[in-house]
Amino acid sequence: MTSLDGGAVLAQSLPAPDIDYGMLMPMLVVFGAAVVGVLVEAFVPSRARYAAHLALSFGGLTLALVAVVVKRTRGLTAGGAVVIDGATLFLQASILVVALLSVALIAERSVATTAPDPARAPAVVYTDAFAPQAAALPGSAAEREATEAGVTRTEVFPLALFAVGGMMLFPAAGDLLTMFVALEVLSLPLYLLCGLARRRRLISQEAALKYFLLGAFSSAFFVYGIALLYGYAGTVQLAGIADAVAAGTGDETIALIGVGLLSVGLLFKIGAVPFHSWTPDVYQGAPTPITAFMAAATKIAAFGALMRVLYVAVPGLRDDWRPILWAVAIATMLLGAVLAVTQTDVKRMLAYSAVSHTGFVLTGVVAANAVGVASTLFYLFAYAVGAVGVFGVVMLVRDPDGEAWELSRWAGLGRRYPALGAVFALFLLSLAGIPLTSGFIAKFAVFGAAVAGDAVALVIVGVLASAIAAYFYIRVIVLMFFRDPPDDPPQLATTSAYTGAVVAFAAVTTVLLGIMPSPMLSLAEQAVGFLR
């Protein structure tokens, strides 16, 4: 047999997978928009790139969201590599909503800061959140020249779109190799975006390097877990692994170690203890629009992938992985809440708050029942929208050298700018889980699911962690409304419509989900059920 004959035989033995492009359309739209965005960077004149990217990004994400909403087809495609079910569609829709909000923050380009002296005209600074020349050393002549020339970065738009595409694929993966590819596609653009902050460049670059190195380590654990599970089950398909576990063939110890290593990569992405150390540094160092994007969209995608692995691939090992998740959830809730109390930087405080909320969401995952899945989906959406809104407010409070991150600078802010203070207080109260906000409904839902799943002790710890968290949220509210402002208070940035629209949308959604949660809860309940 010639080599050509051997190739023909191999082609016959490896039939091409049946691909339903209609089921993949939302992801294809986002990836297509990202590729076109790269071409825009290469061929469109610099003066027209910003407008082209805005139209492309908002148009592509909106079209993808419409495709998700109107989709009726469910099933497996691409040889079982992609699974489109109710949970996938809910998660993808949530990611796209958050992506639209985050791209609006990324799109912010001009900031007019009111002068302290009312007799003077407002000082207008035309700038954005991203470095004018990322390759230039901080403080170098090249960076100063780029700043003076008014250079702005527009490749952040296709990078964000590639990340969104990876996030949409991550919870839809039907096998572990596809899941790993999605993990890298969503991670690599984020590593770059974290290092592009215009101000505090060294902190930004340190954050990007730390995120990259720790992310690479977690990806190595993820791949090693894939190898062990393949060795145990003889397949990387999630359904095939479940069948092998149910049949009891092979050494169960290998399967448990594989699941543990796989979980390292997933727990790293959601920022759970003890894999949370990157979170405060990266949240602080990244450009604030990227911080909002990571805090919201990445968490949705990673939790979706975690649930698919636990509920589809290894439900037969539930009695083994539930105690581990119990411990992780308890440590995450308590450590995040306690460390947030000690912070004096608003972005680091919100970072530890995100860690604590990761523990609350894990409470719903640990429940391991249909109610737990529905409550987790609702929590992810409610938290993500609120997170984008709260970081949008952070973008608006500015010192002469950039955003005012020190909490002491926020003293008296609510008295000077009542509307902004009220909106930020609303977001903080929602994060604390105060009634009539989306945060209260979300926590009530996951705690109820945990009780139904015989995890009452976990709920008690969650309530204690919520009480600790309420302290530092209310402390900020007291600081804004009941403390005198500093001698040189920060100014409220007057922006184009983007940031204001994002904050307003997030505030309205937070209230609506708090007083009328039934429609969203019904959607989450309808999305329960993972195909295999």
Side-chain angles (χ1 to χ4, degrees):
M1 179 183 296
T2 65
S3 60
L4 293 177
D5 293 336
V9 172
L10 181 61
Q12 292 176 359
S13 64
L14 296 175
D18 184 18
I19 300 178
D20 186 335
Y21 290 100
M23 296 173 66
L24 301 176
M25 186 56 63
M27 289 179 283
L28 294 178
V29 169
V30 173
F31 281 124
V35 172
V36 174
V38 174
L39 298 178
V40 168
E41 280 296 306
F43 298 108
V44 174
S46 58
R47 63 181 178 277
R49 288 178 193 165
Y50 174 71
H53 278 301
L54 283 187
L56 185 62
S57 300
F58 284 122
L61 292 172
T62 302
L63 183 59
L65 180 58
V66 171
V68 170
V69 172
V70 302
K71 186 177 288 298
R72 294 292 181 266
T73 307
R74 307 287 193 274
L76 281 65
T77 187
V82 178
V83 182
I84 304 298
D85 52 24
T88 297
L89 295 177
F90 188 97
L91 292 165
Q92 287 184 342
S94 301
I95 290 168
L96 288 168
V97 169
V98 168
L100 282 167
L101 299 176
S102 301
V103 168
L105 296 182
I106 293 171
E108 198 63 80
R109 280 296 184 269
S110 63
V111 176
T113 305
T114 57
D117 184 359
R120 297 172 53 192
V124 180
V125 181
Y126 293 97
T127 182
D128 62 345
F130 301 93
Q133 188 170 341
L137 292 175
S140 65
E143 185 180 60
R144 289 194 299 272
E145 292 173 0
T147 301
E148 293 170 359
V151 176
T152 58
R153 297 269 64 82
T154 51
E155 65 265 30
V156 295
F157 292 101
L159 285 172
L161 289 176
F162 276 119
V164 172
M167 292 172 187
M168 294 176 67
L169 180 59
F170 200 29
D175 65 60
L176 296 177
L177 288 181
T178 303
M179 191 173 288
F180 174 70
V181 171
L183 174 64
E184 295 307 301
V185 171
L186 75 90
S187 298
L188 292 175
L190 291 178
Y191 299 151
L192 295 173
L193 291 170
C194 285
L196 297 181
R198 177 179 287 270
R199 294 179 176 84
R200 300 175 174 90
R201 297 280 292 120
L202 290 177
I203 295 177
S204 179
Q205 291 179 351
E206 178 188 352
L209 184 60
K210 179 176 290 188
Y211 193 24
F212 168 69
L213 291 176
L214 294 178
F217 280 120
S218 71
S219 295
F221 281 105
F222 191 90
V223 173
Y224 197 7
I226 293 175
L228 290 178
L229 286 174
Y230 177 77
Y232 170 79
T235 179
V236 293
Q237 293 280 343
L238 300 183
I241 295 171
D243 292 338
V245 172
T249 58
D251 187 351
E252 187 175 293
T253 302
I254 295 178
L256 291 174
I257 296 174
V259 173
L261 293 175
L262 203 68
S263 299
V264 170
L266 297 172
L267 293 174
F268 174 85
K269 276 300 172 188
I270 65 176
V273 174
F275 312 107
H276 69 291
S277 60
W278 62 274
T279 306
D281 294 332
V282 174
Y283 276 38
Q284 181 187 36
T288 302
I290 304 305
T291 303
F293 183 45
M294 289 191 302
T298 304
K299 200 175 292 292
I300 295 174
F303 265 108
L306 178 64
M307 288 192 294
R308 189 167 295 280
V309 168
L310 296 179
Y311 296 159
V312 177
V314 290
L317 301 177
R318 181 177 305 166
D319 292 339
D320 296 293
W321 55 255
R322 279 194 75 192
I324 302 300
L325 282 189
W326 265 64
V328 171
I330 290 173
T332 303
M333 286 187 290
L334 292 178
L335 189 66
V338 170
L339 291 180
V341 173
T342 66
Q343 302 305 310
T344 59
D345 182 286
V346 65
K347 290 181 75 175
R348 292 184 72 88
M349 183 199 73
L350 293 173
Y352 282 111
S353 168
V355 172
S356 183
H357 279 276
T358 295
F360 295 134
V361 182
L362 280 173
T363 303
V365 176
V366 169
N369 52 33
V371 180
V373 175
S375 62
T376 299
L377 294 177
F378 179 86
Y379 200 123
L380 289 172
F381 179 80
Y383 171 78
V385 173
V388 175
V390 79
F391 282 107
V393 174
V394 172
M395 290 178 61
L396 297 176
V397 182
R398 305 182 69 89
D399 280 329
D401 61 341
E403 296 163 2
W405 292 352
E406 285 294 323
L407 278 174
S408 60
R409 304 287 297 155
W410 289 60
L413 186 73
R415 286 154 51 178
R416 299 180 65 243
Y417 304 107
L420 183 71
V423 170
F424 195 66
L426 170 66
F427 291 136
L428 293 179
L429 292 174
S430 179
L431 291 174
I434 302 302
L436 300 182
T437 65
S438 60
F440 171 77
I441 302 298
K443 285 186 179 180
F444 186 83
V446 295
F447 288 166
V451 170
D454 297 325
V456 178
L458 194 59
V459 174
I460 295 174
V461 175
V463 172
L464 175 62
S466 297
I468 297 173
Y471 167 76
F472 62 80
Y473 293 131
I474 295 175
R475 181 188 65 177
V476 176
I477 296 175
V478 171
L479 181 71
M480 290 193 300
F481 288 96
F482 300 100
R483 294 289 185 271
D484 293 329
D487 295 334
D488 54 340
Q491 305 301 310
L492 176 61
T494 305
T495 69
S496 59
Y498 296 119
T499 302
V502 169
V503 173
F505 177 87
V508 171
T509 302
T510 298
V511 174
L512 287 180
L513 291 181
I515 61 178
M516 294 188 300
S518 297
M520 185 59 66
L521 284 172
S522 297
L523 288 176
E525 291 170 357
Q526 295 170 15
V528 171
F530 293 91
L531 294 178
R532 46 165 298 180

